[in-house]
Amino acid sequence: MSIRLRILVLLLPMISYGCGKKEVVTTPPPIAKKTKLPYFNAANFTPDWDTKSHRIPTFSFVNQNGKLITNETYKGKNYVANFFFTICPGICPKLTANMALLQEAYKNDPDLLLLSHSVMPWNDSVLVLKEYAIENGVDDSKWNLVTGSKEAIYSMARNGYFADEDFTKTQDPETFIHTENFILVDKEGYIRGVYNGTLELDLERLKRHIKILKEESM
């Protein structure tokens, strides 16, 4: 057998294997959907990822500088809202301290603001709020402490932010509002998250959600 023939015989199995080998087609992994925060449209805080039906109602309050604060003040901004009173000996100091941490964390972010409503407006005058703001290092350009009529503030807490759990049980409009909730509101006025403002763990969760909310509008 000639050398050329021997080489051909040796190559035939390799050629046959190569011809019979099937090409493996790999399917690219699906593109992950962007994480999105739910909407909260009712007082039971059931998350809804598809429907946005409840928007924070129109409001008008006065801040620590005697300046009128309305929905227009927060138009096009994400913000965190809560309820407190200046002589509260319980949870309010912790709530205020954690709002101050948020103020520091987002001091260079013009798209994130803070809003604290006094639930004791008969005590928390503009002057009292100003003193409280100074004591707690409130940045007037970032964080408004507001007061107004009891009826307006309590209605906003219960019907706007769903911040009064006791009211959902008792339906007593005279019940004093005392809530630890921090409420995350988006640029369109929709509630996108609710957190226990006294807990560091929930504060970190709130920060993660603020990041997600900012990415939604990109």
Side-chain angles (χ1 to χ4, degrees):
M1 184 182 292
S2 66
I3 295 176
R4 182 176 298 176
L5 186 57
R6 288 179 180 177
I7 294 174
L8 182 60
V9 170
L10 290 173
L11 287 177
L12 276 174
M14 297 175 64
I15 294 171
S16 299
Y17 176 78
C19 293
K21 185 179 181 181
K22 294 182 179 179
E23 182 180 355
V24 178
V25 179
T26 57
T27 304
I31 298 174
K33 292 183 179 179
K34 183 186 290 188
T35 303
K36 180 182 177 182
L37 296 180
Y39 295 90
F40 294 92
N41 299 311
N44 60 10
F45 287 119
T46 299
D48 190 328
W49 277 266
D50 301 313
T51 305
K52 47 182 180 180
S53 61
H54 175 80
R55 185 179 269 143
I56 299 301
T58 300
F59 61 83
S60 180
F61 298 117
V62 179
N63 77 352
Q64 66 269 26
N65 297 319
K67 179 181 177 182
L68 193 65
I69 301 298
T70 70
N71 301 72
E72 286 297 312
T73 309
Y74 289 84
K75 186 177 181 179
K77 307 290 185 181
N78 298 316
Y79 70 95
V80 179
N82 81 315
F83 294 83
F84 80 111
F85 59 106
T86 60
I87 58 175
C88 167
I91 64 172
C92 294
K94 183 64 174 178
L95 294 176
T96 299
N98 282 342
M99 285 291 268
L101 290 177
L102 291 176
Q103 175 181 259
E104 177 63 23
Y106 297 97
K107 62 183 178 181
N108 297 319
D109 184 351
D111 289 329
L112 193 283
L113 299 178
L114 307 173
L115 177 59
S116 295
H117 308 72
S118 169
V119 296
M120 193 181 279
W122 54 91
N123 176 79
D124 293 341
S125 63
V126 170
L127 180 60
V128 170
L129 289 180
K130 185 62 177 179
E131 292 175 351
Y132 188 83
I134 293 171
E135 290 172 2
N136 290 279
V138 172
D139 178 355
D140 296 347
S141 66
K142 174 69 68 175
W143 183 3
N144 290 297
L145 313 180
V146 297
T147 189
S149 72
K150 176 185 174 182
E151 291 75 18
I153 291 175
Y154 279 41
S155 176
M156 181 59 62
R158 291 163 175 160
N159 305 315
Y161 295 97
F162 308 130
D164 188 8
E165 293 181 6
D166 290 335
F167 181 69
T168 62
K169 300 173 185 176
T170 66
Q171 295 296 300
D172 181 2
E174 296 303 316
T175 302
F176 186 72
I177 293 174
H178 209 184
T179 173
E180 71 276 5
N181 286 354
F182 279 4
I183 303 102
L184 178 60
V185 182
D186 69 16
K187 294 180 179 182
E188 297 181 88
Y190 295 106
I191 297 175
R192 306 302 298 277
V194 183
Y195 315 85
N196 186 322
T198 67
L199 302 179
E200 291 183 13
L201 188 64
D202 254 22
L203 198 65
E204 292 305 311
R205 184 168 67 93
L206 169 56
K207 290 178 182 178
R208 291 196 301 272
H209 287 186
I210 289 172
K211 183 176 184 294
I212 292 171
L213 195 56
K214 289 173 69 67
E215 290 173 351
E216 276 188 31
S217 57
M218 290 180 178

